Amino acid sequence: MSRTTSRTALLAALGLITATGATATVMSATAGAAAAGCKVEYQITNQWNTGFGANVVVTNTGDPVSAWTLEWSYAGDQKVTQGWNAAITQAGTAVTAKNLSYNGSLATGGSTSFGFNGSYSGTNSVPATFRLNGVTCNGATQPTEPPTTPPTTPPTTPPTTPPPSGSKADNPYAGAKVYVNPEWSAKAAAEPGGTKVSNQPTGVWLDRIAAIAGVNGGMGLRDHLDRALVQKGSGELVVQLVIYNLPGRDCAALASNGELGPTEIDKYKTQYSDPIAAILADPKYAGLRIVTTVEIDSLPNLVTNVSGRPTATPNCDVMKANGNYIKGVGYALNKLGSIANVYNYVDAGHHGWLGWDDNFGASAELFKQAATAEGSTLSKVHGFIVNTANYSALKEDFFKIEYSVNGTSVRQSKWVDWNRYTDELSYAQAMRSKLVSLGFDANLGMLVDTSRNGWGGTARPTGPGALTNVDTYVNGGRYDRRIHLGNWCNQSGAGLGERPQAAPAAGIDAYVWMKPPGESDGSSKEIPNNEGKGFDRMCDPTYTGNARNGNSMSGALPNAPLSGQWFSAQFQELLKNAHPVL
């Protein structure tokens, strides 16, 4: 996969900020009785110097209700500024939250949730008492302090829960299981210790035309969808597909080159995109939520690796000139997005590629251009995915862009190198806000691939680095232990990251394992093949680097097979260094 870095000489005066949070659980005194009763879980999920985000879970422990109203009062000057999944009003310190049309019915034991952003000054204490439909949920408030989280800014639009059954979900992952690929699962389970993760959902990569029908006796697209119907049962289930076969694919790398030449856009349309769309549109699969992640790594290359940039390559100039990346992505989005149960997520690189000022906005504009090409519209993009098949840490807890050491901004450290972001979560949330500002849907959701960004094990820092200078501070405290942010191939020391989960943070639809752990990024040496995959020196552990990785060692593991093939040594490395630990 192509990776690149850039810099902009801009310094802002920044200071340190801290964040705190709290949770409270209020239990009814009549839980389980055939009368009014409730349990309320109020959690402050995010807090900064003048504002906060909160999530509220309401559980009905009394008789079934067809509508609900939850009331509470604040002890301080908290003000609700934006809410979701409930109609929230406030008069003075008194707050009232009422159900919306799709979440009013609560059976005995049934739950629903809503959230909001708010402002405050002074103390942001948890409310002491809640009332559901006029009846007090009696019990003591028991606030607890969660782990300190890094300072953030409020999300533009928080994640929402799905609307009623039969219509498209705002977040397809909410309330749904996710398809476990039996082929990957079997390989993982066969590894020592692999059964700890072999039941996790991973992406199914359609990286060539032959993959649609199945390669070398393996499962094709219909096989996976049929198996997904079995896994689905009576609930909701998400199937994750990677659409990855553009003409002249991955123009700045070699390990992930594809089968189609730069001009074969018609073949991409008629022999690849159209057959996939035809299968997904089969009414047999209408009950599945099908997530498509569209063309990993392609569009960002048209921003960072073209003429005028220090990392330019002739192949990327060709693809920019002929427009076939834009046409191919637009065509795929249009065809797939026209299917009612398909959710398109476009690849948006990662912070170590597009996080610089001169890459960030230009990339967002290019994403919009592709999303409106070949008959597609912005409405056919459900969201974006970041960090696909990459290693960028989800959250760096011990250094932030706002921090400075002895008057020197963290942005000036060699590791950050003037980037605007230090980790994937902050980048994903910022990219989401930028895309919404350009006209994408206000409920746009982001996915973060956490399959290989855990960086655990004995090398994981437990505190900030030494305050000697900004470099010792950042290098000593960073979780991401790569030699350079531009390194992307089979990285030594990497570990499994957060397990797949729905709605883990504001604006994030899910953490996913779109890149199946244990599948190689590329071969360590040249291996002849009929898949169009070349040999990229960034996969060679002896390679001393290029402009894209600051002329640093590649950090790649030795003896790797072709991209996509099983790499046992990498899988064992990921298990060993998993964080959270297995």
Side-chain angles (χ1 to χ4, degrees), residues 16 36 94 112 125 136-137 215 230 245 254 281 369 503 579:
L16 293 173
T112 190
S125 58
T136 300
C137 299
V215 179
V230 175
N245 199 33
L254 295 172
Q369 182 184 348
H579 187 87

Side-chain angles (χ1 to χ4, degrees), residues 254-441:
L254 295 172
S256 46
N257 286 168
E259 64 184 351
L260 300 180
T263 63
E264 293 187 283
I265 184 65
D266 290 338
K267 192 172 182 180
Y268 176 81
K269 293 178 179 180
T270 61
Q271 297 186 37
Y272 180 74
S273 295
D274 289 354
I276 292 173
I279 294 172
L280 299 187
D282 188 331
K284 178 181 181 181
Y285 306 122
L288 297 171
R289 297 178 179 179
I290 301 173
V291 164
T292 57
T293 54
V294 179
E295 295 301 347
I296 309 306
D297 277 355
S298 298
L299 295 176
N301 278 313
L302 302 186
V303 173
T304 64
N305 294 323
V306 293
S307 291
R309 294 300 188 97
T311 56
T313 68
N315 289 342
C316 290
D317 281 335
V318 168
M319 299 317 300
K320 183 176 182 179
N322 67 26
N324 284 341
Y325 278 7
I326 298 292
K327 295 173 186 175
V329 170
Y331 188 85
L333 291 174
N334 188 37
K335 293 288 290 190
L336 301 172
S338 298
I339 304 168
N341 58 316
V342 169
Y343 302 78
N344 285 323
Y345 290 79
V346 181
D347 183 73
H350 58 93
H351 91 278
W353 188 358
L354 303 182
W356 283 269
D357 294 335
D358 48 355
N359 296 345
F360 187 86
S363 296
E365 295 281 359
L366 189 69
F367 300 155
K368 181 178 181 179
Q369 182 184 348
T372 52
E374 298 290 307
S376 181
T377 61
L378 298 185
S379 64
K380 291 184 177 178
V381 176
H382 202 78
F384 286 77
I385 183 170
V386 302
N387 203 47
T388 310
N390 203 57
Y391 299 85
S392 296
L394 180 65
K395 290 185 285 187
E396 290 285 8
D397 292 331
F398 301 127
F399 67 99
K400 297 296 167 190
I401 290 299
E402 296 87 356
Y403 293 4
S404 62
V405 177
N406 301 326
T408 303
S409 167
V410 157
R411 290 190 70 195
Q412 292 176 268
S413 67
K414 292 179 181 178
W415 174 255
V416 177
D417 191 28
W418 294 103
N419 200 311
R420 184 67 67 180
Y421 306 97
T422 59
D423 52 36
E424 281 308 292
L425 183 57
S426 62
Y427 167 75
Q429 291 171 328
M431 178 58 78
R432 180 191 174 282
S433 295
K434 178 65 176 178
L435 292 164
V436 169
S437 76
L438 294 179
F440 284 91
D441 193 285

Side-chain angles (χ1 to χ4, degrees), residues 40-255:
V40 175
E41 297 175 64
Y42 178 106
Q43 182 181 23
I44 297 174
T45 58
N46 196 17
Q47 185 165 299
W48 50 102
N49 55 348
T50 60
F52 67 102
N55 187 65
V56 181
V57 179
V58 183
T59 301
N60 176 31
T61 59
D63 288 339
V65 298
S66 59
W68 54 264
T69 298
L70 188 72
E71 301 169 279
W72 70 89
S73 293
Y74 284 118
D77 66 344
Q78 296 98 323
K79 297 289 188 299
V80 175
T81 58
Q82 179 189 28
W84 55 97
N85 295 342
I88 306 175
T89 58
Q90 183 169 355
T93 60
V95 182
T96 301
K98 296 185 177 181
N99 66 273
L100 300 181
S101 60
Y102 58 84
N103 63 355
S105 296
L106 289 178
T108 301
S111 297
T112 190
S113 66
F114 63 92
F116 58 90
N117 290 329
S119 63
Y120 78 102
S121 63
T123 301
N124 184 22
S125 58
V126 172
T129 304
F130 294 88
R131 294 182 302 278
L132 180 67
N133 292 348
V135 176
T136 300
C137 299
N138 296 313
T141 301
Q142 299 172 337
T144 59
E145 291 296 326
T148 299
T149 55
T152 63
T153 55
T156 303
T157 304
T160 59
T161 57
S165 177
S167 59
K168 203 160 193 174
D170 174 64
N171 178 358
Y173 291 86
K177 297 183 294 185
V178 187
Y179 175 64
V180 177
N181 180 346
E183 293 184 312
W184 175 83
S185 181
K187 293 175 183 175
E191 292 279 344
T195 55
K196 295 178 180 179
V197 297
S198 57
N199 63 340
Q200 294 290 348
T202 54
V204 175
W205 286 61
L206 302 174
D207 62 352
R208 46 185 157 151
I209 293 169
I212 301 171
V215 179
N216 299 324
M219 296 174 69
L221 177 55
R222 280 195 180 275
D223 297 321
H224 284 293
L225 295 176
D226 289 341
R227 186 67 65 89
L229 290 175
V230 175
Q231 291 187 17
K232 179 180 184 295
S234 60
E236 300 287 353
L237 185 131
V238 173
V239 179
Q240 303 175 124
L241 305 176
V242 180
I243 308 301
Y244 187 53
N245 199 33
L246 274 180
R249 189 178 71 195
D250 214 346
C251 56
L254 295 172

